[in-house]
Amino acid sequence: MSLWMILPVSLPVFTITGIWLVYAMALYNQHVCPVHNWLYNDSCEELLPLQRGPVLCCTLDNIPLISKCGTLPPESCFFSLICSTGSFMVMLIGLLRYAHVIEKHQNCVLNTAGLSTAWICAAGLIMVGNFQVDFAKVLHYVGAGVAFPSSMLFVCLQSALTYRLAKTQGEYRMGHLRVGMALLALIALVLSGVFFCQESFALQHASAIFEWIYCMLIMLFYGTFAFEFGGMSGDTLMVLSRGGGGGGLEGGGGGGAQSFSTSENKTEVGGGVSNQHHQPESLSML
């Protein structure tokens, strides 16, 4: 078992646990409505039948969207920390995946596009975490508009890349798993966006639930890279130090070394033949 597997596994564990902690803090401080409560009261003058507590009246401002859970302190501090740390881990996993593909196979357009979308998603995630929706709505929505589509594009590109590079039965099964997760994430993203634009509190509440499902699917998708990272070594970092231009073990990188060694052999053989021709001439001169 390689230590590189810890990184993709730790990302979903850290982020999913973190955002649920943020939700629990926001719910404890009565900043959002519980996920299981589908009843809202626009006037906030009467308690709802299914609620418990003195001031648990929900409005459209209390919909448990992930961004709403991380709007007010103290949960906003943890939300910013989780998003910033998660964005760094996304960048690192995307970079290692990019190098791993080059090392084991060869570089391609899908691989370069996958790295680009991962880094764009990380940039949007930083904006989402550090610009709260109630205080910097425009910047927050810009970050969300960058993070959500780019993350969806990333999982689609990686699913296609998995099938393109698959050679064993296990790799094909991983491709099936990733395609299934990508389809579920796409459905959740579309439904979340459509319901979010509606005025009904029930549909907006459903939008929040689909948003949670989407984010958890994306994070779990990153966790599947533990399958490939189990075979990584320190040579993967050497691919990055060379600028990612060389081929992998099965690509063009080995060709250069082979041609170099072949030329050396030819030089040695040539040197041996020339020595054999010059030896009789030296004897005749003596």
Side-chain angles (χ1 to χ4, degrees):
M1 179 178 177
S2 175
L3 293 177
W4 295 102
M5 298 174 61
I6 299 176
L7 180 61
V9 173
S10 62
L11 176 60
V13 173
F14 173 76
T15 53
I16 293 176
T17 305
I19 58 178
W20 277 109
L21 177 62
V22 169
Y23 164 75
M25 294 176 64
L27 187 63
Y28 177 80
N29 294 318
Q30 300 178 359
H31 293 159
V32 296
C33 191
V35 173
H36 58 81
N37 192 350
W38 291 77
L39 298 177
Y40 284 78
N41 185 358
D42 295 332
S43 63
C44 240
E45 294 177 355
E46 297 178 359
L47 296 178
L48 298 179
L50 299 182
Q51 294 181 337
R52 298 291 183 269
V55 288
L56 288 180
C57 183
C58 296
T59 67
L60 292 178
D61 293 331
N62 306 119
I63 293 177
L65 295 163
I66 298 178
S67 300
K68 277 290 184 180
C69 294
T71 297
L72 299 175
E75 55 267 17
S76 60
C77 304
F78 289 94
F79 183 68
S80 178
L81 176 63
I82 292 167
C83 289
S84 299
T85 307
S87 63
F88 173 75
M89 297 174 72
V90 166
M91 291 179 62
L92 188 57
I93 291 175
L95 186 62
L96 291 177
R97 168 64 171 169
Y98 171 78
H100 176 263
V101 172
I102 298 177
E103 179 192 17
K104 297 300 181 182
H105 305 277
Q106 61 183 359
N107 200 6
C108 60
V109 177
L110 287 177
N111 192 32
T112 305
L115 176 64
S116 302
T117 52
W119 282 34
I120 293 173
C121 175
L125 187 59
I126 291 178
M127 294 184 66
V128 168
N130 291 278
F131 296 98
Q132 281 73 29
V133 64
D134 286 350
F135 306 104
K137 183 174 292 186
V138 175
L139 292 176
H140 181 87
Y141 283 154
V142 168
V146 170
F148 281 95
S150 59
S151 60
M152 188 67 245
L153 183 58
F154 173 80
V155 299
C156 292
L157 290 172
Q158 292 297 330
S159 299
L161 186 62
T162 303
Y163 273 119
R164 179 174 179 178
L165 303 179
K167 294 181 179 180
T168 64
Q169 191 67 26
E171 292 174 344
Y172 278 107
R173 291 176 181 174
M174 181 56 62
H176 300 335
L177 175 62
R178 288 176 177 169
V179 168
M181 296 177 68
L183 289 176
L184 292 176
L186 179 60
I187 295 173
L189 180 62
V190 171
L191 292 178
S192 178
V194 171
F195 292 160
F196 181 76
C197 300
Q198 307 301 318
E199 296 181 357
S200 171
F201 60 82
L203 292 180
Q204 290 196 25
H205 192 88
S207 173
I209 294 178
F210 282 116
E211 182 185 50
W212 282 87
I213 294 174
Y214 173 79
C215 291
M216 287 188 287
L217 285 172
I218 295 298
M219 292 299 104
L220 290 175
F221 189 97
Y222 276 96
T224 61
F225 288 122
F227 177 78
E228 286 89 357
F229 285 15
M232 285 178 54
S233 62
D235 296 335
T236 306
L237 301 179
M238 298 300 297
V239 174
L240 296 176
S241 65
R242 293 195 298 266
L249 297 177
E250 301 175 4
Q258 183 178 2
S259 61
F260 180 75
S261 61
T262 304
S263 62
E264 288 183 349
N265 291 333
K266 288 182 179 180
T267 303
E268 294 177 358
V269 173
V273 174
S274 61
N275 290 335
Q276 291 177 359
H277 285 294
H278 286 294
Q279 186 175 3
E281 293 180 2
S282 61
L283 291 177
S284 63
M285 292 175 63
L286 291 175

